[in-house]
């Protein structure tokens, strides 16, 4: 089994298909809002909350599904750990690039329709056409969500129910990254109740990238500490 190239290609292809379908769904919703109401802000900005959860479950799948599969086919844990890091390092920017393209497509469509593409949340960017800043922001977010997913999944794989104890750490990684970006802390069913936990960090692209790199290194190191000698489980 060729890893990580085959795994990376499969996930990238699937993400591309999901992206195409998601763009169509968001476009249909935006048209509906324009027909039956007032379309005066970016629909894509709201829609990109969901891909973060996809990134989280990619991280979970790396450990829960692919770790035992590749160990059973002759990979060592060290080989898997190193190549999983490569997969995350390449897949996160791929997802970020898709999100950036989505903003640009929306800019084009809103321009043709004569609608304002207003961004009403805090970001590293102020306009959706600021491609490097858009890419940097979502790169940092996707790195944090994938790494958090892998870290939490490693805890559940090794200790089963004991993995619950690692969830606050995974959430902490996300809070740190969101604080560096300057975003409000919002999750489904929780809303802004986590806002009081937000890290009070000065907002800058350099700091956000530095925090993202730190989360990437810490998260992978912590995940490796859990899986380095984990027994292969029968499911």
């Amino acid at each position: 089994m060729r890893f990580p190239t085959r795994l990376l290609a499969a996930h990238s292809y699937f993400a591309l298909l999901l992206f195409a379908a998601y763009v169509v769904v968001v476009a249909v919703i935006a048209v509906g809002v324009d027909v039956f109401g007032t379309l005066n802000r970016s629909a894509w900005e709201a829609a990109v909350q969901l891909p973060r959860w996809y990134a989280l479950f990619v991280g979970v799948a790396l450990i829960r599904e692919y770790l035992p599969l590749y160990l059973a086919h002759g990979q060592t844990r060290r080989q898997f750990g190193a190549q999983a890091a490569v997969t995350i390092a390449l897949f996160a920017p791929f997802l970020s690039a898709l999100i950036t393209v989505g903003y640009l497509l929306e800019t084009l469509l809103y321009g043709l329709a004569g609608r304002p593409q207003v961004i009403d949340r805090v970001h590293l960017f102020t306009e959706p056409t600021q491609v490097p800043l858009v890419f940097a922001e979502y790169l940092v977010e996707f790195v944090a969500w994938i790494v958090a997913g892998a870290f939490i999944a490693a805890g559940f794989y090794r200790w089963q129910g004991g993995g619950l104890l690692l969830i606050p750490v995974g959430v902490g990684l996300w809070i740190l990254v969101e604080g560096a970006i300057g975003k409000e802390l919002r999750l489904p069913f929780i809303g802004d109740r986590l806002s009081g936990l937000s890290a009070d960090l000065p907002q800058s692209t350099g700091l956000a990238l530095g925090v993202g790199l730190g989360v990437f290194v810490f998260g992978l190191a912590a995940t490796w500490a859990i899986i380095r000698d984990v027994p292969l489980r029968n499911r």
Side-chain angles (χ1 to χ4, degrees):
M1 300 178 113
R2 293 183 352 188
F3 178 80
T5 54
R6 180 174 294 179
L7 179 60
L8 179 62
H11 274 298
S12 298
Y13 179 70
F14 185 62
L16 191 58
L17 293 178
L18 288 178
F19 169 75
Y22 199 48
V23 166
V24 172
V25 170
V26 174
V28 169
I29 293 174
V31 170
V33 171
D34 191 39
V35 171
F36 298 104
T38 303
L39 184 64
N40 56 8
R41 48 184 39 89
S42 171
W44 190 246
E45 181 190 29
V48 295
Q49 306 304 309
L50 189 57
R52 301 182 306 180
W53 292 96
Y54 170 68
L56 178 77
F57 287 112
V58 167
V60 170
L62 273 176
I63 302 300
R64 187 179 186 279
E65 302 296 332
Y66 295 106
L67 172 62
L69 176 65
Y70 282 91
L71 291 182
H73 284 79
Q75 289 274 350
T76 67
R77 288 160 182 76
R78 185 177 298 276
Q79 288 173 324
F80 178 87
Q83 295 169 2
V86 172
T87 299
I88 296 172
L90 296 178
F91 189 63
F94 179 77
L95 289 180
S96 180
L98 292 181
I99 298 301
T100 304
V101 169
Y103 272 111
L104 295 178
L105 288 174
E106 185 183 64
T107 299
L108 176 62
L109 295 176
Y110 273 47
L112 292 174
R115 298 293 184 268
Q117 190 187 15
V118 175
I119 302 295
D120 59 2
R121 297 181 183 178
V122 176
H123 296 277
L124 293 177
F125 55 93
T126 55
E127 297 292 336
T129 52
Q130 296 173 324
V131 173
L133 296 181
V134 175
F135 178 81
E137 175 175 321
Y138 288 99
L139 170 62
V140 170
E141 278 201 327
F142 286 135
V143 163
W145 282 70
I146 297 174
V147 167
F151 172 69
I152 294 170
F156 278 100
Y157 186 81
R158 176 151 196 160
W159 299 302
Q160 298 182 345
L164 289 169
L165 298 175
L166 299 187
I167 292 179
V169 180
V171 173
L173 297 178
W174 169 72
I175 289 176
L176 184 60
V177 164
E178 296 297 295
I181 294 173
K183 286 186 174 181
E184 295 179 349
L185 301 177
R186 292 179 178 271
L187 284 174
F189 312 112
I190 297 178
D192 59 359
R193 296 175 191 172
L194 295 176
S195 295
L197 301 177
S198 177
D200 187 15
L201 301 174
Q203 187 180 1
S204 73
T205 305
L207 177 62
L209 290 172
V211 169
L213 179 60
V215 166
F216 177 74
V217 173
F218 170 81
L220 290 182
T223 303
W224 169 246
I226 297 172
I227 68 170
R228 60 181 300 180
D229 58 353
V230 66
L232 186 61
R233 295 187 180 276
N234 293 323
R235 292 186 298 170

